[in-house]
Amino acid sequence: MNRFLLIFFLSVLIQFGLRAQHETNISDVYSTDFESRKGISTENIKVTNDTSIDVLFYHLRIMPAIDSAWIQGHVSVHFMSKVNNLNLYLLDLHQSLQVDSIIGASSFLHTNDSLFIYPSSKIDSGIVTSVEIFYKGYTSLAGGFKGLRYSVHGNNEPVIATLSTPYLAHFWFPCKDGPADKVDSVYVDITIPSRSYNNIPLRATSNGLLKLINETSTHRTFQWKHRYPIVSYYVMMAISNYVVLEEEYCNNDYCFPLEYHVFAEDTVAAKPGVADLPEMMGLFESLFGPYPFRNEKYGMTQLGFYGAIENQTNTVINRMSPDWKMVVVHELAHMWFGCQITCSDWHHGWLNEGFATYSEALWKEHKEGFHAYSAYMASKGWYQEGTVHLKNIDDPFNIFIGIIYNKGAWVLHMLRSTMGDELFFSFLNDYASLPELSFGHVSTERFKNLAEEAYGSDLDYYFDQWVYDEYYPSYLYNFEQSSSQLNIQLFQMQAQLGRRPLFITPIDFLISFSDFSDTIVRVFNNNQNQLFNFTFDKTVVSVQLDPNQWLLHSSSYNPELPMGLPRLNRAESFTFYPNPTYENIMVQIENNLELPCTLTIIDVKGIERTRVQIIQHYQLIDLKGLGKGMFFLKLINKEGAISGSKKLIIK
């Protein structure tokens, strides 16, 4: 690699390293615990995803222990057969839990987290039936971390909560786990002892609305009903001696409650932490359409540990203090993206997390203006390997990783730049309100198709490079002005690191003039080495690439980058420019020539002075060290065939 390319890459690493030291990534709240626990579990977790049934309704009647990780109860599962003569179907239940009996089944087998159920008689397609599963046992935690989690707060006061994403609901109740199937509604009855801690009674909270509290001399049963479609891992339960803070959100058409379950010792900090939530709700309704669960509530429940999970209508969150405000924003946005519209499987998890992270930036823009938005997105820049479209989704601790949050948000940020504000925000509102997706599922391909319909043009290239491929473009650029003509040379050099050679994208340049005025011009970069021409009647003093940070990239202005484009004749396998030169040449290789190949440089005495491996069709070659004089260049392909020589003059 030549000297100025090395300096360029070192400067990029230093730049982004310094940035990383000063930024606060909200996604770290979600991913740090997962990263620290990678490798704890030696087995990937599989769910049955039985496509022969469509689950319609759960009614959980459960009694968790307070002092130990024990649960017992029974769950009614209503489902419709999707095949004729159904004589076996599968649900998910962790093997640490014991099934005592199943009403509505002739027999069952519980093995390896799968529950095989044989109905009393064969079931035809379209027939709705139900079973009631009685179970009990000591619960297990995935990776020692997620499932039905027990902890304490304050003065040894209990906290019990479910952490079920991405497909861990079966660690505490029998269900069809994972994102593929949504029940139409869920009822959750939670029976707990009538105890108080620090003179505050235990409460049990769940999704939807609290319809009734049944009390006996020893126990209280909290009956919650949620009448919206929901995936199993968003069904939740939390128990502690909570204080309930309540307010109401209203717009011109409806009102619904906002409900916060908080520890008594944290109520003072929580009140300012949630003070902006009605404004957040109003912003997101203006951007994404009406709150999806407006007939019930939006709530948050404190855990005192972990990060947060966007359980439908009832987010669980470590704390609600003002320093967690951006997490509050993130989880609220999930009610549209994650709960209402759910990724079809976790390969497409960025459609949940990327949207919620991008919503953080939109909140920043709403409160502090575009520059704050731009700076916030810059803090989310993702310059590491990996694809936004996840490849491995069998490991629950390898799904909620930084790339689907941060680069997922950048996919939307750059799409906004590509489409323009008016079209982008219209599309965003239409997407969030589309009847076919509402309370359903979406894949990356479907999202792409909808974006193309709104944009009116093909976006295959966009999703190929930003969602399905890795990294980002690395630019070198140079400019020169002759009379009134300004030429800007742009070269994508990331192929020299073995990465995708070309990212097709619009790019803005800030042109500054000697009279202290400036202007922004936009170009469409669709070649690895490209020359752009402009006419200005003023003297240009500087050119800045991407001044408003619309593009995930690295770049460096380099006055040594050769200007212009070579002309490759049909009979030629390669050409180069400039010639004569001082220090560098740009080599262009014929497109049909298979790479890599080798360029040899020979002096007038016939001595080979150097050879360079050519790995891309445009490649910048450093000639420092060869000295002045005449040289000859030859290209050797993979089969060893040698092209005709070309003369080079170094001044």
Side-chain angles (χ1 to χ4, degrees), residues 421-441:
D421 271 17
E422 183 176 356
L423 191 58
F424 174 77
F425 284 110
S426 175
F427 162 64
L428 201 60
N429 188 280
D430 290 344
Y431 167 73
S433 307
L434 195 65
E436 73 168 86
L437 299 181
S438 187
F439 305 110
H441 298 84

Side-chain angles (χ1 to χ4, degrees), residues 575-588:
T575 188
F576 62 90
Y577 74 102
N579 190 17
T581 188
Y582 290 95
E583 294 182 333
N584 302 282
I585 56 171
M586 180 71 73
V587 175
Q588 181 187 2

Side-chain angles (χ1 to χ4, degrees), residues 544-557:
Q544 180 186 351
L545 189 150
D546 191 33
N548 291 320
Q549 299 177 296
W550 282 115
L551 182 63
L552 187 66
H553 76 285
S554 61
S555 64
S556 179
Y557 164 66

Side-chain angles (χ1 to χ4, degrees), residues 45 64 75 88 207 209 214 222 227 239 241 246 256 307 344 366 376 410 412 489 523 526 530 571 601:
I45 295 173
V75 176
L88 170 66
N207 312 88
L209 296 175
N214 280 327
F222 293 77
R227 293 186 172 94
I239 301 165
N241 57 335
E246 295 178 286
F256 56 84
S344 57
H366 169 74
Y376 195 78
W410 267 87
L412 298 171
Q489 187 76 43
V523 300
N526 57 1
Q530 200 161 358
I601 302 178

Side-chain angles (χ1 to χ4, degrees), residues 114-171:
S114 296
L115 184 57
F116 295 78
I117 302 175
Y118 298 86
S120 302
S121 59
K122 293 180 180 180
I123 308 169
D124 283 336
S125 178
I127 299 300
V128 176
T129 188
S130 66
V131 290
E132 191 159 5
I133 303 167
F134 292 78
Y135 72 107
K136 64 188 176 186
Y138 289 100
T139 59
S140 178
L141 292 175
F145 183 53
K146 295 191 75 175
L148 182 58
R149 181 90 172 262
Y150 282 68
S151 186
V152 294
H153 75 94
N155 186 23
N156 204 35
E157 300 154 60
V159 184
I160 304 166
T162 56
L163 307 175
S164 300
T165 53
Y167 35 72
L168 303 174
H170 68 283
F171 276 63

Side-chain angles (χ1 to χ4, degrees), residues 182-210:
K182 292 188 176 186
V183 294
D184 296 333
S185 56
V186 61
Y187 295 173
V188 183
D189 299 351
I190 309 165
T191 300
I192 56 176
S194 299
R195 292 187 199 169
S196 294
Y197 293 82
N198 283 345
N199 297 316
I200 302 172
L202 288 178
R203 291 182 60 89
T205 182
S206 187
N207 312 88
L209 296 175
L210 179 61

Side-chain angles (χ1 to χ4, degrees), residues 135-323:
Y135 72 107
K136 64 188 176 186
Y138 289 100
T139 59
S140 178
L141 292 175
F145 183 53
K146 295 191 75 175
L148 182 58
R149 181 90 172 262
Y150 282 68
S151 186
V152 294
H153 75 94
N155 186 23
N156 204 35
E157 300 154 60
V159 184
I160 304 166
T162 56
L163 307 175
S164 300
T165 53
Y167 35 72
L168 303 174
H170 68 283
F171 276 63
W172 63 282
F173 80 95
C175 61
K176 183 178 177 181
D177 214 341
D181 203 350
K182 292 188 176 186
V183 294
D184 296 333
S185 56
V186 61
Y187 295 173
V188 183
D189 299 351
I190 309 165
T191 300
I192 56 176
S194 299
R195 292 187 199 169
S196 294
Y197 293 82
N198 283 345
N199 297 316
I200 302 172
L202 288 178
R203 291 182 60 89
T205 182
S206 187
N207 312 88
L209 296 175
L210 179 61
K211 293 297 185 178
L212 186 66
I213 302 176
N214 280 327
E215 299 196 43
T216 69
S217 59
T218 58
H219 289 81
R220 306 172 81 201
T221 299
F222 293 77
Q223 297 182 353
W224 293 87
K225 294 186 177 182
H226 180 53
R227 293 186 172 94
Y228 285 94
I230 183 172
V231 290
S232 55
Y233 53 78
Y234 284 150
V235 177
M236 63 84 66
M237 169 182 67
I239 301 165
S240 190
N241 57 335
Y242 287 118
V243 173
V244 182
L245 306 178
E246 295 178 286
E247 59 180 323
E248 190 173 54
Y249 171 80
C250 291
N251 61 23
N252 292 330
D253 299 316
Y254 47 79
C255 297
F256 56 84
L258 303 176
E259 184 177 280
Y260 317 113
H261 284 71
V262 186
F263 302 147
E265 65 269 23
D266 291 329
T267 54
V268 172
K271 288 177 180 178
V274 300
D276 284 341
L277 201 142
E279 186 178 351
M280 297 171 190
M281 185 73 74
L283 171 66
F284 290 163
E285 286 203 318
S286 71
L287 293 173
F288 312 141
Y291 174 62
F293 311 105
R294 54 195 174 275
N295 291 332
E296 294 185 355
K297 72 163 190 286
Y298 180 66
M300 292 191 295
T301 297
Q302 186 176 3
L303 298 179
F305 59 89
Y306 188 64
I309 293 178
E310 64 280 7
N311 294 318
Q312 200 158 295
T313 71
N314 196 347
T315 288
V316 290
I317 187 169
N318 188 308
R319 54 188 180 272
M320 300 176 210
S321 51
D323 56 322

